[in-house]
Amino acid sequence: MNLKKISKFLKDSEKILRLGFSFALAQFKVRNEGSYLGILWYLLEPLCFFVIILLVGGAISQNSAPYYPLYLFLGLIMFNFFINTTSGATRAVTSNAGLIKSMNVSRESLVISGIFQFVFSHFIEMLIFLGFMIYFKGSIGAFIWYFPIFFFFILFVSGISFMLAAAGVYMNDLSNVWNVFCRLLWFLTPIFYIMPPSILLQKISYLNPMYHFINIAREIIIYGRMPGLFAMSCMIFFSILFLFAGLSIFKRYKSRFAELV
Amino acid sequence: MPEKSIQIVDLKKKFNIGFKRNEGALARLVSSISGRETKRELEVINGISFDVYKGEVMGIIGKNGSGKSTLLRIIAGIYEPDGGKVMTRGRVEYLSGFGNGLSPRLTMEENIYLMGSVLGLDSKEVKKKFDEIVEFSGLSNFIYTKVYQFSSGMVTRLAFSATIHCLNHSKPDILLLDEVFGAGGDIDFEQKAIKKMAEFIKQGSAVVLASHNLNIIESYCDRAILLEDGEIAKDGDPKIIIEEYKKRSI
């Protein structure tokens, strides 16, 4: 009986992931359709933003961190992934109202398609980061560690995305509120600056999961230092916790989505 | 005795719908700033019970707002009932119009794969069906053309062909058709589409067909129900139900 349930769960999950991937691929194509530079924008956009922050942010923090360009770029692209995916998730269900009212399409796949879409673009950004690593003579071996870190980061971002997608159906203002919150989080997370000695800011940072993910990635990949077991366990624990919390909230409310959008 | 594919017992559904209340200027100002509208409860389905057997084609007729689409959406699992029970056996597909999931900025080929995914097929299965879909649509010269460049008739051809062939491949046990029979478009294609649809619904699935087209209900249904204000007013032979509907509508 249990085996049957597990097999059904795996089959359903595979279907949801497959449909999410198809939606993401279609949206990815549509996004680049008719653009002169097409996929090149995925390289140019973060690069331009990086150069601007490098000049402005570097002046503020005086580039005091070793390998500051790598420090900045990694923080920038990880935060970009978080903000793009979660902002899209606030409208993932409401923007597909027609589809969910006219077909019994899995609601989860609508959220997953947004995640996949930004995973594609994040991989392109990672190629630039790899280029920087080679240029700054960083350790390519350490770069491999990014994949397990990014895997748990995806779980964490997915959890938040599922929560936001469900809440977005009930609160029309959520996307505006979330955008403001993300701007605040951007300044509270040491992306372009180095963690200041202020105790208050340090305390806030410890409560900020983005700080932990970005910090762990920087420590391992750029500086070749293994963070403590506690930090790693926290990252894994909170990723899984957020994913399950997000999925269970979404599951609890999804049956009402079609009549509310 | 054939097995029951759909079993519905004392089904109830209500919606909170917006309406204009007679209220003062201040209350109106507050609600326009907050964007929240006044709502009231509307009972759409009110204690419906019936069964549909395997291989049976059942028609639902009734005026606009009688609860036909809501009933189908509850059976499909799109809406959650507020009371009663819905039991279905096997894979359920709900179809309300064609072309759901079509993306106009993609090519016809890309759209066929996308619609296949929406209807639960993987890319290998769509690949097997691809030539058949293109041939049925009669659009073989436009495979790599973007759909926004199609005429509305061409979109209809593509949407119908892709949907019906993908559904045919996945063979649902229960098929719920909401005002869908044939495709629209020119006479040649419409006739071809109706023939295909008739073949499709006679394949052994339990079919529930809601339509205002009484000829279709009479020609293709084994049984029909007349819905009135969310209740079953009459259940039985399609001819008798249609006569009753006409009498009540005068």
Side-chain angles (χ1 to χ4, degrees):
Chain A
M1 186 63 188
N2 277 340
L3 270 178
K4 256 189 182 177
K5 271 187 182 171
I6 293 169
S7 143
K8 190 180 177 303
F9 170 78
L10 290 176
K11 261 189 186 170
D12 290 347
S13 307
E14 192 229 329
K15 266 188 186 173
I16 291 169
L17 287 173
R18 208 173 55 211
L19 182 57
F21 187 79
S22 299
F23 280 140
L25 202 62
Q27 281 157 6
F28 194 75
K29 282 177 186 166
V30 169
R31 232 171 97 186
N32 297 314
E33 188 259 341
S35 155
Y36 286 110
L37 294 175
I39 209 161
L40 269 181
W41 275 117
Y42 291 96
L43 298 171
L44 285 174
E45 211 181 311
L47 266 179
C48 293
F49 196 44
F50 165 70
V51 171
I52 294 167
I53 303 283
L54 190 63
L55 297 175
V56 178
I60 297 166
S61 68
Q62 293 163 343
N63 295 356
S64 52
Y67 297 110
Y68 180 73
L70 293 177
Y71 173 96
L72 170 64
F73 195 72
L74 188 59
L76 204 63
I77 59 175
M78 284 182 82
F79 201 89
N80 269 359
F81 176 73
F82 172 80
I83 197 167
N84 288 334
T85 311
T86 54
S87 301
T90 57
R91 298 177 303 271
V93 178
T94 46
S95 60
N96 285 294
L99 191 62
I100 64 168
K101 270 178 186 285
S102 57
M103 294 184 93
N104 198 3
V105 61
S106 90
R107 278 73 166 139
E108 287 85 352
S109 62
L110 302 173
V111 182
I112 285 172
S113 82
I115 299 165
F116 270 134
Q117 214 190 121
F118 291 106
V119 168
F120 297 158
S121 46
H122 188 76
F123 276 129
I124 297 172
E125 291 169 342
M126 284 316 294
L127 287 178
I128 310 175
F129 182 72
L130 187 63
F132 282 154
M133 289 280 285
I134 294 168
Y135 180 78
F136 287 102
K137 297 187 174 62
S139 159
I140 306 298
F143 180 77
I144 305 293
W145 279 101
Y146 188 66
F147 292 97
I149 297 169
F150 188 55
F151 171 76
F152 286 107
F153 190 44
I154 292 175
L155 299 189
F156 167 71
V157 174
S158 303
I160 304 259
S161 297
F162 277 111
M163 287 180 205
L164 290 170
V169 177
Y170 291 85
M171 289 177 271
N172 280 338
D173 306 329
L174 184 70
S175 64
N176 304 62
V177 174
W178 188 251
N179 281 342
V180 174
F181 174 76
C182 282
R183 277 167 207 257
L184 177 70
L185 195 66
W186 156 261
F187 285 106
L188 285 178
T189 311
I191 294 167
F192 62 89
Y193 61 85
I194 318 297
M195 173 71 90
S198 151
I199 304 285
L200 179 70
L201 265 174
Q202 281 183 10
K203 276 187 179 167
I204 293 172
S205 292
Y206 286 135
L207 294 173
N208 172 7
M210 287 304 293
Y211 164 75
H212 293 288
F213 277 105
I214 293 174
N215 195 36
I216 287 172
R218 279 170 175 163
E219 285 291 309
I220 299 178
I221 300 162
I222 304 172
Y223 303 119
R225 292 191 291 251
M226 217 38 160
L229 194 65
F230 180 73
M232 297 289 273
S233 316
C234 279
M235 177 183 82
I236 294 168
F237 175 74
F238 282 107
S239 310
I240 295 170
L241 181 77
F242 268 90
L243 180 68
F244 277 102
L247 278 173
S248 51
I249 290 171
F250 193 84
K251 197 178 166 196
R252 184 172 152 74
Y253 292 103
K254 71 175 180 177
S255 59
R256 291 272 169 193
F257 289 170
E259 55 194 87
L260 292 169
V261 294
Chain B
M1 184 76 179
E3 67 182 53
K4 286 176 187 171
S5 290
I6 305 172
Q7 201 176 355
I8 290 176
V9 185
D10 197 23
L11 189 68
K12 286 180 182 144
K13 179 73 191 168
K14 55 190 173 202
F15 287 124
N16 286 320
I17 58 160
F19 79 109
K20 197 171 178 185
R21 190 193 279 172
N22 203 5
E23 55 191 4
L26 185 64
R28 260 184 283 169
L29 181 70
V30 169
S31 62
S32 69
I33 289 171
S34 69
R36 298 193 75 83
E37 52 183 349
T38 325
K39 303 223 168 170
R40 71 180 163 92
E41 260 183 15
L42 177 75
E43 293 230 1
V44 186
I45 302 285
N46 196 8
I48 283 180
S49 302
F50 65 86
D51 301 326
V52 184
Y53 293 90
K54 195 179 174 188
E56 187 180 30
V57 182
M58 195 187 85
I60 304 179
I61 52 176
K63 289 179 187 168
N64 289 332
S66 57
K68 301 185 295 294
S69 297
T70 304
L71 176 59
L72 292 189
R73 283 179 180 157
I74 296 172
I75 302 171
I78 294 174
Y79 288 164
E80 200 179 46
D82 291 316
K85 275 185 184 169
V86 177
M87 281 160 280
T88 55
R89 192 184 286 263
R91 188 180 144 86
V92 184
E93 282 293 349
Y94 169 74
L95 209 55
S96 134
F98 295 103
N100 300 309
L102 265 185
S103 180
R105 306 302 293 188
L106 297 178
T107 64
M108 175 175 163
E109 184 194 33
E110 289 163 340
N111 266 297
I112 291 174
Y113 278 93
L114 181 61
M115 287 181 72
S117 302
V118 172
L119 291 162
L121 272 67
D122 62 32
S123 53
K124 275 183 196 161
E125 289 169 321
V126 180
K127 201 174 180 182
K128 273 186 205 161
K129 286 271 153 191
F130 188 81
D131 291 342
E132 225 177 296
I133 294 170
V134 173
E135 199 196 320
F136 190 87
S137 71
L139 298 169
S140 52
N141 292 330
F142 304 97
I143 295 174
Y144 304 109
T145 306
K146 289 189 176 155
V147 169
Y148 77 90
Q149 292 164 318
F150 279 19
S151 69
S152 57
M154 288 161 83
V155 175
T156 304
R157 281 169 173 258
L158 165 64
F160 179 86
S161 308
T163 307
I164 214 76
H165 284 87
C166 290
L167 277 181
N168 215 351
H169 184 83
S170 61
K171 297 219 180 329
D173 301 287
I174 297 167
L175 187 61
L176 309 167
L177 304 173
D178 192 356
E179 296 293 351
V180 171
F181 207 95
D186 58 40
I187 288 181
D188 287 351
F189 190 73
E190 176 64 359
Q191 281 176 352
K192 204 164 106 171
I194 288 184
K195 204 176 148 196
K196 188 84 188 167
M197 200 86 193
E199 275 171 31
F200 182 50
I201 66 167
K202 293 289 180 190
Q203 278 180 347
S205 311
V207 180
V208 183
L209 166 62
S211 180
H212 287 292
N213 188 333
L214 302 178
N215 288 334
I216 293 223
I217 299 281
E218 193 174 338
S219 310
Y220 297 103
C221 295
D222 306 312
R223 190 182 135 210
I225 58 172
L226 171 61
L227 273 190
E228 222 171 52
D229 299 326
E231 289 175 13
I232 296 180
K234 210 166 170 74
D235 181 344
D237 182 73
K239 270 188 187 171
I240 299 169
I241 300 297
I242 289 168
E243 282 308 309
E244 181 68 27
Y245 177 48
K246 284 179 179 167
K247 254 193 251 167
R248 289 178 186 231
S249 301
I250 295 167

